């Protein structure tokens, strides 16, 4: 049986792969494992449960709440809120467990379950494995006063907004901002936080109906945001995904500002204010080479991790670092949050614009993105990608051709029989030519057809 937990919880097609029964069983197993680890020792356990606006989130929320309550856990439902809001409330309310129902940037038919431990941290791999191993086991069910109770927290969003605003060092007066909330979980909290800080806000993607989340909008579809920024002559645009753990931006001219550029801007801001721990930033192996060149030019150290914000967080916590993230817009500001928070990131990015009086495009020019071509080669034996001599020779030849002005990365997919071929170069044509050449070698060498 394939492992249920991926790099970001359990995901699947709702009501086919991710069923109410599975959600119930996962929640019961999580309660049992955490109890045995001593998480609930000496007190009655409590959990926060939140969701994004997907239609399937309604029945999955009911199943998760029922599972936890049946295992003796008191449940606090916070309704539709971003994933980082659930993580924050898990910490601020002092509860033992947080559960978020969302498939992030995936389309509406998908959904997912993500667990947070006390303090709003993602569960360790070994804890997820233990939960998975306990699904469907026989157990002694509590009765009477032993069963959990389910209550609602109607002001959870207000508490989260209060916290977000408290972290921002200066106001945003005079800025006109377009926000695209992807018809997702931040459709209320993000515009409200911006207005509280003095920005003039134009909203798009704020009419969730349970089925339109991420549909042609949000951080994975930036065309609507670019058009709106230009139409309204705004200073900048901010886009989130369905659960608002990502943030991408658009400058006043309509140019995209990606996660690498946002991290670069915020890292230099932190250093200027004496808050960048060890003058170091964490990024994944997929970060643009231009980011690394810029950070080295500025005297900052870059630590690389595997792809996935959980690995970024692990590296940050291990070394006591301040900032890290991914090109996709997952940015972790560890002084303020234990997970990627798109709303928090957007507020701090715009605070830098307001503080300096410089346009976002000028701030983003601290780094130049090298052309990056990514080709997914499907239907191949990914296990041999780093051992096949033909591929090693082809990569070596490509690296000689690129010299120090480019790079090659071949990465097997974590979930599919696929190899990702990524090439960066000084020119788009050169990157594209080498990427297609390497993809052809991978396809010819590793094909399983």
């Amino acid at each position: 049986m394939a492992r249920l937990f991926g790099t970001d919880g359990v995901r699947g097609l709702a009501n086919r792969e991710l069923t109410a029964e599975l959600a119930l069983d996962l929640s019961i197993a999580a309660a049992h494992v955490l109890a045995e680890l001593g998480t609930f020792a000496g007190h009655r356990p409590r959990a926060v449960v939140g969701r994004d606006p997907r239609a399937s989130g309604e029945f999955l929320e009911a199943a998760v709440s029922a599972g936890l309550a049946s295992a003796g856990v008191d449940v606090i439902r916070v309704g539709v809120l971003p994933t980082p809001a659930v993580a924050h409330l898990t910490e601020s309310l002092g509860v033992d467990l947080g559960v978020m129902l969302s498939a992030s940037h995936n389309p509406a038919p998908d959904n997912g379950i993500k667990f947070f431990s006390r303090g709003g941290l993602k569960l360790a791999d070994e804890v997820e494995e233990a939960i998975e191993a306990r699904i469907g086991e026989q157990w002694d069910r509590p009765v009477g006063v032993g069963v959990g109770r389910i209550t609602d927290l109607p002001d959870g969003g207000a508490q989260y907004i209060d916290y977000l605003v408290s972290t921002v060092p200066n106001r945003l007066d005079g800025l006109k901002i377009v926000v695209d909330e992807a018809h997702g979980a931040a459709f209320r909290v993000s515009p409200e936080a911006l207005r509280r800080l003095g920005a003039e806000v134009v909203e798009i993607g704020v009419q969730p109906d349970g089925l339109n989340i991420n549909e042609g909008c949000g951080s994975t579809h930036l065309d609507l945001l670019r058009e709106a920024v230009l139409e309204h002559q705004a200073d900048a645009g901010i886009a989130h995904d369905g659960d608002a753990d990502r943030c991408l931006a658009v400058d006043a001219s309509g140019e995209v500002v990606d996660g690498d550029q946002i991290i670069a801007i915020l890292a230099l801001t932190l250093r200027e204010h004496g808050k960048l721990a060890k003058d170091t930033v964490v990024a994944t192996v997929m970060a643009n080479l231009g980011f690394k060149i810029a950070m080295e030019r500025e005297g900052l150290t870059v630590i690389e991790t595997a792809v996935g914000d959980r690995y970024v967080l692990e590296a940050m916590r291990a070394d006591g670092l301040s900032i890290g993230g991914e090109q996709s817009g997952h940015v972790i500001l560890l002084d303020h949050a234990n997970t990627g928070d798109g709303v928090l990131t957007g507020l701090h990015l715009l605070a830098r614009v307001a503080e300096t009086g410089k346009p976002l495009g000028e701030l983003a020019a601290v780094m130049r993105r090298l052309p990056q071509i990514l080709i997914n080669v499907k239907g191949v034996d990914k296990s041999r990608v780093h051992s096949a001599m033909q591929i090693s020779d082809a990569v070596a030849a490509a690296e000689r051709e690129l010299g120090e002005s480019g790079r090659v990365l071949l990465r097997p997919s974590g979930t599919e029989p696929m190899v990702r071929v990524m090439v960066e170069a000084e020119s788009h044509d050169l990157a594209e030519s080498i990427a297609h050449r390497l993809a052809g070698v991978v396809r010819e060498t590793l094909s399983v057809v």
Side-chain angles (χ1 to χ4, degrees):
M1 173 177 160
R3 189 174 189 266
L4 280 175
F5 283 91
T7 57
D8 209 19
V10 177
R11 288 191 188 174
L13 183 60
N15 218 28
R16 292 282 180 83
E17 297 160 347
L18 182 54
T19 62
E21 293 87 349
L22 178 57
L24 184 86
D25 290 343
L26 274 169
S27 303
I28 293 169
H32 292 165
V33 168
L34 293 175
E36 291 180 2
L37 289 173
T39 303
F40 305 157
H43 64 277
R44 187 176 175 93
R46 296 189 300 157
V48 165
V49 177
R51 63 182 180 87
D52 71 22
R54 295 166 207 266
S56 59
E58 297 167 5
F59 77 76
L60 290 172
E61 176 192 56
V64 166
S65 299
L68 291 173
S70 73
V73 180
D74 288 338
V75 175
I76 304 168
R77 294 185 304 195
V78 297
V80 174
L81 282 179
T83 292
V86 172
H88 168 71
L89 290 169
T90 300
E91 180 179 20
S92 66
L93 297 175
V95 304
D96 306 288
L97 177 66
V99 187
M100 179 65 187
L101 300 162
S102 176
S104 189
H105 58 282
N106 287 20
D110 293 342
N111 216 323
I113 302 178
K114 184 186 301 185
F115 293 102
F116 294 100
S117 63
R118 186 182 292 160
L121 297 168
K122 292 182 180 180
L123 299 184
D125 288 346
E126 57 269 23
V127 177
E128 291 180 343
E129 290 167 3
I131 292 170
E132 192 167 322
R134 300 285 291 276
I135 290 176
E137 69 177 0
Q138 294 296 312
W139 57 292
D140 186 19
R141 300 168 184 268
V143 296
V145 296
V147 301
R149 306 298 298 271
I150 300 175
T151 57
D152 293 319
L153 183 69
D155 70 341
Q159 292 185 35
Y160 175 55
I161 292 170
D162 286 344
Y163 177 71
L164 290 172
V165 171
S166 76
T167 72
V168 181
N170 53 272
R171 291 181 57 79
L172 309 180
D173 299 288
L175 292 183
K176 186 175 185 179
I177 306 300
V178 180
V179 289
D180 184 348
E181 304 300 343
H183 302 302
F187 78 103
R188 290 193 185 99
V189 299
S190 177
E192 175 61 22
L194 285 164
R195 290 193 175 97
R196 285 265 300 273
L197 287 164
E200 179 184 350
V201 182
V202 177
E203 304 176 31
I204 60 177
V206 290
Q207 292 88 35
D209 61 10
L211 303 174
N212 59 359
I213 189 169
N214 300 314
E215 192 174 79
C217 57
S219 62
T220 52
H221 304 278
L222 292 171
D223 287 346
L224 285 179
L225 180 63
R226 296 174 68 181
E227 292 169 7
V229 166
L230 295 174
E231 177 187 349
H232 293 278
Q233 297 183 316
D235 296 289
I238 296 292
H240 301 123
D241 59 337
D243 71 335
D245 62 356
R246 296 187 185 193
C247 172
L248 294 181
V250 169
D251 70 16
S253 68
E255 287 297 311
V256 173
V257 178
D258 69 13
D260 289 340
Q261 292 168 296
I262 292 171
I263 295 166
I265 293 168
L266 294 181
L268 294 176
T269 302
L270 288 170
R271 184 179 67 174
E272 182 179 307
H273 291 280
K275 295 181 179 179
L276 182 64
K278 302 180 182 179
D279 282 351
T280 298
V281 61
V282 181
T284 76
V285 294
M286 293 299 288
N288 193 278
L289 181 58
F291 170 80
K292 298 171 187 175
I293 292 171
M295 293 297 92
E296 289 172 3
R297 184 188 67 239
E298 295 291 334
L300 303 186
T301 299
V302 178
I303 293 177
E304 284 191 354
T305 74
V307 174
D309 63 331
R310 70 184 302 155
Y311 303 114
V312 172
L313 179 59
E314 286 174 4
M316 293 175 66
R317 288 174 61 83
D319 287 336
L321 303 177
S322 312
I323 185 171
E326 299 184 281
Q327 190 181 82
S328 60
H330 283 120
V331 179
I332 302 172
L333 298 170
L334 200 54
D335 290 340
H336 305 300
N338 287 324
T339 188
D341 188 328
V343 182
L344 179 77
T345 299
L347 294 176
H348 281 256
L349 178 67
L350 295 172
R352 183 58 170 171
V353 173
E355 177 190 21
T356 61
K358 296 179 180 179
L360 178 58
E362 182 178 338
L363 294 174
V366 67
M367 64 162 280
R368 182 175 75 88
R369 282 180 298 190
L370 294 185
Q372 188 178 77
I373 301 296
L374 178 65
I375 299 176
N376 294 325
V377 185
K378 300 181 179 180
V380 295
D381 179 7
K382 63 184 180 182
S383 67
R384 296 174 49 228
V385 66
H386 295 307
S387 61
M389 185 63 68
Q390 301 96 313
I391 295 175
S392 298
D393 290 345
V395 168
E399 290 175 337
R400 286 193 297 271
E401 184 174 353
L402 290 167
E404 294 186 359
S405 62
R407 65 171 180 144
V408 173
L409 178 65
L410 269 60
R411 187 170 68 88
S413 167
T415 57
E416 302 175 67
M418 179 169 71
V419 171
R420 306 185 195 280
V421 177
M422 191 272 284
V423 177
E424 289 172 334
E426 283 286 346
S427 74
H428 180 278
D429 288 348
L430 180 58
E432 188 171 47
S433 171
I434 293 176
H436 281 286
R437 184 198 316 159
L438 289 175
V441 174
V442 170
R443 192 175 292 110
E444 181 180 336
T445 306
L446 304 183
S447 177
V448 295
V449 179

